[in-house]
Amino acid sequence: MAIQDIYPTALRLLGRPVLVVGGGPVAARRARGLLDAGARVTVVAPLACPALNDLSDAGLLSWQPRPYRSSDVDGAWFVQTATGDAGVDAQVAADAEAQRIWCVNASDHEASAAWTPAVAVVDDVKIAVNAGGDPRRAMALRDAVATALAAGDLPLRRHRASGTGSAAGAGTVALVGGGPGDTGLITVRGRRLLGQADVVVADRLGPRELLAELAPDVRVIEVGKTPGHHPVPQSEINRILVDEALAGHRVVRLKGGDPYVLGRGGEEAEFCRQHGVEVEVVPGVTSAVSVPAAAGIPVTHRGLAKGFSVVTGHEELSEVPARADHTVILLMGVGQLRDSAASLGRAGLPAGTPVGIVENGYLPNQRVTIGTLETIADQAEAAGVANPAVIVIGDVVRVSPFAPSHFKTADYSTTSPNVPRVPAR
């Protein structure tokens, strides 16, 4: 049988009688798949393997513990034979053919009237692969397609109502943490949901390159903020998410970093739930940890720091430990850097405490400036350091490969654009 002689289709067997002839592991796998499709399964075999016994004992199928009879196919909608005996399988197939019942003959795929493909399910998509009677090849192809779908590399987005889900009724909101900006650092779940979205509500930071990969009819609503400039207030962002979901759309709120790390994700999730909108939160790689790592700076390190604090406002510095062995991370703090350094100095942090600034983490124009609490404000001003940037204060900065050799003294400074980057793809 040539592959071009196959006419692919899908059977709806819900509530319909199906016959499985055979009691071994292959018959058990086929019976399980048929049960998953909602079929009423009868198994005919003198002996049954433990898996089939378990299904029978649970009342999920009917097992007739005897040899096959030609009358067993009467009334069946579909027949699967897997006895391991080519003669018996051929007889079952012939009896089914005489009654014009589709039959899969596991002993002879060339003579079989129907083939069972390798199957995988991703969301509401079922992938079925036939590969010229080569089951291992079919399984390998199936797995590759399923992996690509699950990772968001292939489109899963609905284009018409399917009777269930957001396309047919109320929509959903997914708060997706996009990570620090590199497209390779968004989670698989986040990438997948982005590929299913009808509407994307996007921040200024995060994996912006992925927006160019969206289908032309996906609407992108820009709500990005910059320091001191919030063109779309948070209350309006909340309203957009709810209104779009109530219109029946799958909405992705694409955020930089992690939605729950100083990203107002909690407020957005709460607002959605208050208005009856289903919301999912997908964690992301927070820039507070990942951007320092891009410059080779760990936020904790044995012998240097056991903990860290993440701060977004100058006034919060009075709440964090003023010790070089406790890492302080300032997000978007370039504008207040001089005041922040002075505050930490007055709190008791030594003037020679190392400080690193990482601008545009993981992007092509990433740059690192390293100094001390005493020198960093002047260095940043001279170098033209600007947000988006993450500032790391503490002894962990010494670990960076870009720290100068005389790093343990206070009379050093360096600015380096040559920072190793995690491969984007």
Side-chain angles (χ1 to χ4, degrees):
M1 182 184 298
I3 192 67
Q4 58 265 29
D5 296 331
I6 296 294
Y7 182 76
T9 190
L11 298 179
R12 301 187 69 175
L13 296 174
L14 180 64
R16 291 172 173 165
V18 167
L19 173 67
V20 176
V21 183
V26 173
R29 288 198 301 272
R30 298 293 180 252
R32 169 59 74 182
L34 292 163
L35 289 171
D36 289 343
R40 291 191 289 114
V41 178
T42 297
V43 174
V44 174
L47 299 173
C49 68
L52 275 175
N53 260 317
D54 290 344
L55 294 173
S56 177
D57 291 345
L60 298 176
L61 56 76
S62 173
W63 171 36
Q64 303 296 317
R66 56 171 174 76
Y68 167 75
R69 302 169 187 162
S70 293
S71 60
D72 287 331
V73 301
D74 295 348
W77 280 71
F78 183 79
V79 176
Q80 168 76 57
T81 177
T83 67
D85 184 319
V88 174
D89 286 351
Q91 182 61 54
V92 175
D95 293 338
E97 180 76 16
Q99 296 200 40
R100 298 184 178 180
I101 300 169
W102 291 111
C103 175
V104 175
N105 184 346
S107 294
D108 187 354
H109 73 273
E110 290 290 342
S112 183
W115 288 2
T116 300
V119 175
V121 177
V122 179
D123 283 355
D124 59 349
V125 174
K126 181 168 284 190
I127 304 149
V129 179
N130 280 307
D134 185 338
R136 291 187 179 180
R137 183 183 180 208
M139 287 187 289
L141 289 168
R142 170 205 63 191
D143 293 344
V145 174
T147 299
L149 281 170
D153 294 330
L154 294 176
L156 267 174
R157 180 170 168 248
R158 294 190 184 103
H159 293 273
R160 65 179 182 180
S162 62
T164 60
S166 63
T172 59
V173 171
L175 308 180
V176 174
D182 190 299
T183 59
L185 294 179
I186 188 173
T187 64
V188 170
R189 178 64 178 165
R191 183 90 180 253
R192 179 170 160 189
L193 288 171
L194 187 62
Q196 296 174 322
D198 303 308
V199 178
V200 178
V201 182
D203 273 350
R204 183 174 65 93
L205 303 178
R208 301 279 306 180
E209 292 180 15
L210 293 179
L211 298 179
E213 300 179 8
L214 299 174
D217 59 336
V218 177
R219 285 190 293 119
V220 177
I221 301 175
E222 298 284 1
V223 296
K225 304 178 180 70
T226 58
H229 181 58
H230 299 174
V232 183
Q234 188 61 48
S235 59
E236 178 67 8
I237 294 173
N238 295 346
R239 185 196 63 78
I240 290 171
L241 296 177
V242 168
D243 286 354
E244 293 292 345
L246 292 179
H249 300 138
R250 286 190 173 190
V251 183
V252 165
R253 174 74 169 102
L254 184 62
K255 307 169 81 69
D258 182 280
Y260 277 5
V261 179
L262 303 171
R264 297 199 170 183
E267 299 174 38
E268 294 169 353
E270 184 179 17
F271 191 84
C272 289
R273 294 187 183 107
Q274 287 173 349
H275 290 79
V277 173
E278 180 184 343
V279 60
E280 175 182 355
V281 179
V282 180
V285 180
T286 174
S287 59
V289 174
S290 61
V291 170
I297 303 172
V299 296
T300 63
H301 190 79
R302 186 171 63 174
L304 293 179
K306 296 180 180 179
F308 65 94
S309 299
V310 181
V311 179
T312 57
H314 170 68
E315 66 279 0
E316 300 167 10
L317 289 175
S318 61
E319 306 293 330
V320 302
R323 305 191 314 267
D325 65 350
H326 182 91
T327 307
V328 177
I329 300 166
L330 305 179
L331 300 182
M332 309 297 283
V334 171
Q336 295 180 311
L337 178 57
R338 192 175 296 277
D339 290 340
S340 297
S343 294
L344 289 170
R346 288 193 298 271
L349 201 61
T353 301
V355 181
I357 306 176
V358 186
E359 300 170 79
N360 301 303
Y362 289 97
L363 299 178
N365 58 338
Q366 178 177 300
R367 183 172 65 161
V368 175
T369 300
I370 293 179
T372 66
L373 196 65
E374 182 179 44
T375 66
I376 194 63
D378 289 338
Q379 290 175 243
E381 185 175 324
V385 170
N387 286 317
V390 175
I391 302 167
V392 186
I393 304 168
D395 280 341
V396 290
V397 178
R398 302 182 190 279
V399 178
S400 172
F402 300 96
S405 58
H406 52 290
F407 194 78
K408 293 186 178 181
T409 68
D411 59 345
Y412 70 87
S413 65
T414 181
T415 298
S416 173
N418 300 314
V419 179
R421 300 178 62 236
V422 172
R425 297 165 189 85

